Amino acid sequence: MMERLQCAELRSRIITVTQAAALFRDGMTVGMSGFTRAGDCKALPAALAERARHETLRLNLITGASLGNDSDGLMAEAGLLARRLPFQSDARLRRRINEGQVMFIDQHLSETVEQLRAGHIPKIDIAVVEAAAILPDGGIVPTMSVGNSASFVAQAERVIVELNTRMPTGLMGMHDIYVPEAYPGRQPIPLTEPDQRIGTPAIPVDPARIAAIVVTHHPDSPSSVQPPDADTRAIARHIIGFLEGEVAAGRLSDTLLPLQVGIGTIANAVMHGLVDAPFRDLRMYSEVLQDSAIALIDAGRVSFASASSITLSEPVYRRFMERLDEYARRIVLRPQEISNHCEIVRRLGIIAINTALEFDLYGNVNSTHVGGTRMMNGIGGSGDFARHAHLSIFVSKSVAKGGDISSVVPMVAHVDHTEHDVDILVTEWGLADLRNLAPRERAPRVIECCAHPDYREELMDYFQRARAQGGHTPHLVGEALSWHERHARTGSMRSEQMACA
């Protein structure tokens, strides 16, 4: 404990989690560490949920992204959450969001702390941050994510630190904490390479503002991503083939450009495919590192990776911790407003690979809303990268629910990424390069390259009838969402003709 809690004046502030939970009041805005199950607070969410079961306690909760340890679900079921932002992935919380019991604000992950600074979001009352250590000057050393923690700490009236003795002190030195200046005097962010460090190894804070320390001993929740399957391996092959073509055309070198890969099974599987690809000395500038990033480092394909979070399956997590010194030389973790900052994304020329729920004939992408109305997880950081990337790639399996849902539709029921921000669409059937194509040219390519064969004929029929009526982006307005309506009514997007066939 002396090695971890190096600030002598704070040793008297170690209290129980129940005592720490008593510091919260109804209506507070709380910032908690945690980004895609990593570096999240382990003790306070459950203790606060227990309070909410017995008394009136409703909080506005802001995090970096999703929490682990079922925390979001526990808090939602206890009625603790009045408002939640900017991202989540818990089924129980999702249900209460879609029932209207929790007000969820879906945000680009780079923008949350900007809105906090500007006063668009109420000021943080209490920040709760997981730490591997506290330095002599009070500096907080994060664990497996940084997320929004630095800005939460800077703004909060009180700071509570969950000091996690399960996390190795070898994490010290892996973080690079840099927070941009306030407007109007903000200077350019001085980051020009993924492996560059521009900040401090710990979150600065006056020890007087640390109100309490709660000692925990829990690992991060393991990642829930699934291993590659035939479809995701096919998607990977299409992307690798496309990148090989870019190298052959002289638009990229065999080191490519820094890679960003979104969270999830499909994107993780695509990255696994790069282990055997003919590229070398790859670098990543992403928001999350998953199993595939560690596999690429192990294979010598990735020389350096920058992110805001590391979320791993249980066996890869164990290997990472056993070889922490080796990985720490090749990884840096930053605040998410830096990992996702549009200025840096544009400067570095990122190749961005993110996942779509569905996309339409013209390249508009829905990443968040099932059927156009029901929130899944949130937009996350995909929009931060898609708008500003050198190449913006979206991937999806062509069908879902046993083929009853087509991921390629006449018109998406909810737009997260407009056609202007999308360069490449990929499913297991093929890759549609939409660069330099007008809408009328995009539609046939999307249908031929990406749609499942069962749906191609109806998609082409829709497009041809819409095109006959004219317009720069042809649509049959009364029919454009009929596939979604059919699914809501019958449980399938298949038409009667398709069902008979």
Side-chain angles (χ1 to χ4, degrees):
M1 185 58 68
M2 296 285 284
E3 181 185 11
R4 293 180 183 275
L5 186 46
Q6 300 174 15
C7 182
E9 68 180 275
L10 292 177
R11 290 171 189 158
S12 63
R13 296 181 204 170
I14 298 176
I15 62 176
T16 68
V17 66
T18 302
Q19 290 171 320
L23 298 176
F24 295 77
R25 297 290 179 266
D26 186 48
M28 278 186 168
T29 296
V30 175
M32 282 190 178
S33 67
F35 193 112
T36 59
R37 298 173 173 242
D40 57 313
C41 302
K42 311 295 196 293
L44 261 301
L48 289 168
E50 183 61 26
R51 267 194 66 190
R53 293 188 185 97
H54 304 288
E55 60 183 281
T56 300
L57 183 64
R58 298 269 285 169
L59 302 176
N60 304 310
L61 179 63
I62 310 174
T63 61
S66 55
L67 302 178
N69 297 283
D70 297 322
S71 293
D72 269 326
L74 287 171
M75 291 186 287
E77 287 194 332
L80 176 68
L81 301 180
R83 191 173 299 270
R84 179 75 171 87
L85 61 153
F87 187 86
Q88 55 77 42
S89 62
D90 186 278
R92 289 175 291 174
L93 173 56
R94 182 184 307 134
R95 183 168 62 252
R96 280 158 177 75
I97 289 169
N98 289 317
E99 291 170 351
Q101 296 179 25
V102 177
M103 295 297 104
F104 179 62
I105 302 173
D106 185 25
Q107 292 183 320
H108 297 298
L109 295 187
S110 68
E111 293 187 347
T112 304
V113 295
E114 290 279 24
Q115 294 194 19
L116 275 169
R117 290 193 200 101
H120 301 163
I121 299 173
K123 184 179 178 181
I124 300 291
D125 294 302
I126 296 180
V128 188
V129 179
E130 182 178 80
I134 300 176
L135 302 182
D137 63 357
I140 299 170
V141 178
T143 56
M144 294 286 278
S145 73
V146 179
N148 285 324
S149 296
S151 293
F152 292 160
V153 167
Q155 189 180 84
E157 293 185 9
R158 287 178 166 182
V159 177
I160 298 175
V161 178
E162 287 199 4
L163 191 58
N164 191 341
T165 58
R166 184 71 173 263
M167 295 296 167
T169 54
L171 290 171
M172 290 191 284
M174 185 180 288
H175 310 91
D176 186 48
I177 310 301
Y178 177 92
V179 177
E181 297 94 341
Y183 299 124
R186 180 173 297 182
Q187 299 298 304
I189 299 171
L191 184 67
T192 58
E193 297 291 342
D195 59 354
Q196 189 178 354
R197 292 174 181 270
I198 60 175
T200 61
I203 298 171
V205 60
D206 181 348
R209 296 179 50 239
I210 298 179
I213 298 170
V214 175
V215 179
T216 66
H217 189 75
H218 300 288
D220 285 333
S221 296
S223 167
S224 60
V225 298
Q226 301 300 311
D229 59 20
D231 289 342
T232 57
R233 284 192 288 268
I235 292 170
R237 287 194 298 271
H238 296 316
I239 293 177
I240 291 167
F242 165 76
L243 293 173
E244 289 175 331
E246 292 295 287
V247 173
R251 289 188 286 267
L252 292 173
S253 73
D254 62 357
T255 61
L256 303 181
L257 286 166
L259 300 169
Q260 176 266 330
V261 182
I263 190 73
T265 294
I266 298 178
N268 186 60
V270 168
M271 283 296 287
H272 269 294
L274 291 174
V275 170
D276 299 316
F279 308 119
R280 62 180 181 84
D281 195 24
L282 299 175
R283 295 179 298 169
M284 296 185 68
Y285 193 85
S286 194
E287 56 187 350
V288 182
L289 303 182
Q290 301 182 85
D291 286 10
S292 55
I294 304 305
L296 287 165
I297 291 173
D298 290 345
R301 295 293 187 181
V302 165
S303 59
F304 197 87
S306 169
S308 189
S309 169
I310 305 172
T311 180
L312 305 171
S313 66
E314 192 168 348
V316 178
Y317 185 90
R318 287 198 303 270
R319 185 167 83 247
F320 181 88
M321 290 302 181
E322 290 167 359
R323 298 166 54 188
L324 180 59
D325 289 346
E326 176 185 339
Y327 291 120
R329 293 193 296 270
R330 299 190 176 197
I331 293 173
V332 64
L333 295 180
R334 311 181 191 276
Q336 68 194 65
E337 68 171 322
I338 302 301
S339 68
N340 293 35
H341 203 289
C342 61
E343 175 187 338
I344 309 302
V345 173
R346 181 65 61 88
R347 177 181 297 143
L348 297 181
I350 300 297
I351 297 173
I353 304 173
N354 289 289
T355 304
L357 285 179
E358 64 178 3
F359 52 82
D360 66 24
L361 303 183
Y362 304 109
N364 299 292
V365 171
N366 173 13
S367 295
T368 58
H369 284 74
V370 176
T373 62
R374 300 189 68 80
M375 171 59 65
M376 178 59 75
N377 297 330
I379 194 170
S382 55
D384 295 325
F385 291 93
R387 168 75 46 104
H388 305 283
H390 172 74
L391 286 170
S392 175
I393 302 171
F394 280 91
V395 299
S396 177
K397 293 188 178 184
S398 64
V399 291
K401 300 298 182 183
D404 283 330
I405 297 176
S406 173
S407 299
V408 185
V409 292
M411 177 186 283
V412 290
H414 177 90
V415 181
D416 292 296
H417 313 282
T418 71
E419 60 185 280
H420 314 291
D421 300 334
V422 179
D423 298 316
I424 311 293
L425 295 172
V426 195
T427 69
E428 72 274 21
W429 294 100
L431 179 147
D433 185 350
L434 306 183
R435 295 174 297 176
N436 198 37
L437 297 183
R440 286 170 175 256
E441 298 170 309
R442 285 181 165 215
R445 184 165 296 184
V446 170
I447 295 168
E448 293 163 7
C449 295
C450 297
H452 191 282
D454 289 353
Y455 287 95
R456 285 180 194 165
E457 184 176 346
E458 283 206 30
L459 285 166
M460 188 60 74
D461 174 69
Y462 172 88
F463 171 65
Q464 290 173 342
R465 289 185 293 113
R467 183 177 58 184
Q469 292 194 10
H472 174 252
T473 305
H475 268 303
L476 302 173
V477 176
E479 192 179 326
L481 296 177
S482 62
W483 289 30
H484 298 87
E485 187 278 331
R486 185 188 304 155
H487 176 261
R489 179 168 43 85
T490 69
S492 176
M493 287 186 176
R494 298 177 184 274
S495 66
E496 293 181 7
Q497 293 86 344
M498 290 175 61
C500 292

